[in-house]
Every structure is written in C-alpha cells, then in structure tokens.
Amino acid sequence: MGSGSEWGWPERSLLGVLSAPARAELLSLGTELTLQSGDVLLTEGATDRHLYVILGGFAKVTATVENGQESLLAVRVGGDSVGEMAALDGAPRSAGVVACGPLRARVVGPGALHGLMMRRPEVAMALTRIVADRLRWANRRRLEFRGYPVKVRLARLLVEFAVGYGRPERGGGHVIGFQLTQPELAALTGAAETTVHKGLRELRDEGLLGTGYRTTTVHDLARLARVAELAEPVMPPDSRRPRGSAEDRP
C-alpha cells in the first residue's frame, strides 16, 4: 500500500488523528528504520517499550494460540502505530509484528514518548483512544464469529479495510493496496479456509470484488456493506482532504 504522503494518513491511525504540529514533533523523535518482508518489528513476550509508527508499507500482527500455532490478529499500515500497549503500561508484548514487504517505520523510545505525551496531551489521548478502539474491535470480532455467517464476516472485514485503508479509484471502486492470503483471511474471520474461498468466489461472482497482483478491489462499497448487514451505510472519507496529507503538514 502506498504511504500516507501519497494518499493521506488513514483517519483512524495515529498520524491521521494528530494535529500537524503534534505529528511533526512525533516524527522528529527516535530513528527511522527500513525493513524487508519477514523482518520483525516486535516480538511477542519481549519487554522492550518502544513505540513504532509505520510510515509506509504494511505489517501483520500475530500471536501464538494455545495449540502453539501462530494466528493473525490484525493488519497495520502507514500511519498506524504498533507497540503502544507496552509503551503505555510496561507489560511484555502481547503480540508480534512482522513486516510484509518493504516497510518504513519510526521507532521512538519510551522516555522520548513519555516526554512528548507530557508536552502534548493530545498524543496521550490519541494513543489511549487507539488502544480502546482495538480492544473494542477485538470484542466485536469475537461476537461476529458467533452471530454471523462467514460470508457476512468476510464482507465486514473487507468493508473495514476499504474504508480505513482503501484508495478511491475512478468508477467508484476502492483499492485495498495489500494482499491477504486465504489462510490469513480465515484467521481474521474465524472460519475454515475452504469456507473463505467459497465466500470470496461468491463476492467475485456478484461483481463486488476483484483481485490483482497484491491488491484487492471493492467494486461497490455500498452493496458490500449491505451484504455485511451493516446498520448504516459505510462510505470512506474520499470527498474530504485526508488528514495528514501534504497540505496539512507544517
């Protein structure tokens, strides 16, 4: 997926919610890292307390389940933070984070981060909101596993990616500029891989979804939202200038 400098930071990401001065100060701290596919940003169980801010590319958040297998928990893209829970409470890392393709990130040490939060309370508030949002997301996902069929859960996940991370294209579609494998989609929706394969095929046959090299395109977001049984229409903020775009920077 392209960096926020191209499309604007996602509105729900850390860089998307901060004001321009606070964002600039955050990005002036620490050091910048360049990683390749498979490189580890965070290790589950580690006791370091650094915050990572992804500037470009995307990463996968994973954790080890009771049977020893690794499970995909979430995806993070440019503008997102990772490692904020340990940075805030000092507890061991609850999950690992691995780069998927080339990735740039800013790593900020706990001392520098806490100093910034004292100077700019909006940063502390933004990180607290992000933690709360992610816990709420995890709770909602658990409920969806029990209450909705797989196709609906899959549609909800794709709507979320299109709204939060999609790039509008001509003709009304939205390109999700990263690729998830069917096993990964199965992990995120709590379904068997064969069932996810069937759901994806049905969405493609209905003209709602297209796939290409490392991309997925939602052709009709409004219709996909109806398949997802969402109570309200979900449309991305593409009619407004994205927060965190070049025009919004000092």
Side-chain angles (χ1 to χ4, degrees), residues 145 148-155 158 181-183 185-187 189-204 209:
F145 287 171
Y148 293 99
V150 172
K151 184 178 177 180
V152 174
R153 301 202 301 261
L154 184 59
L158 293 168
T181 65
Q182 289 187 14
L185 286 171
T189 54
E193 185 179 345
T194 53
T195 310
V196 167
H197 176 79
K198 179 176 181 290
L200 289 172
R201 186 179 68 246
E202 290 178 1
L203 292 174
R204 284 193 296 265
L209 202 65

Side-chain angles (χ1 to χ4, degrees), residues 72-75 137 141 145 157 161 180 183-191:
L72 177 66
L73 301 180
V75 175
W137 183 91
R141 190 69 73 232
F145 287 171
L157 185 67
F161 285 151
L180 291 172
E184 290 165 344
L185 286 171
L188 286 173
T189 54

Side-chain angles (χ1 to χ4, degrees), residues 205-220:
D205 291 345
E206 293 165 12
L208 296 174
L209 202 65
T211 55
Y213 177 68
R214 299 188 67 83
T215 61
T216 298
T217 301
V218 174
H219 294 308
D220 190 329

Side-chain angles (χ1 to χ4, degrees), residues 74-91:
V75 175
R76 301 286 179 251
V77 301
D80 281 334
S81 60
V82 293
E84 60 285 319
M85 289 184 65
L88 291 174
D89 67 9

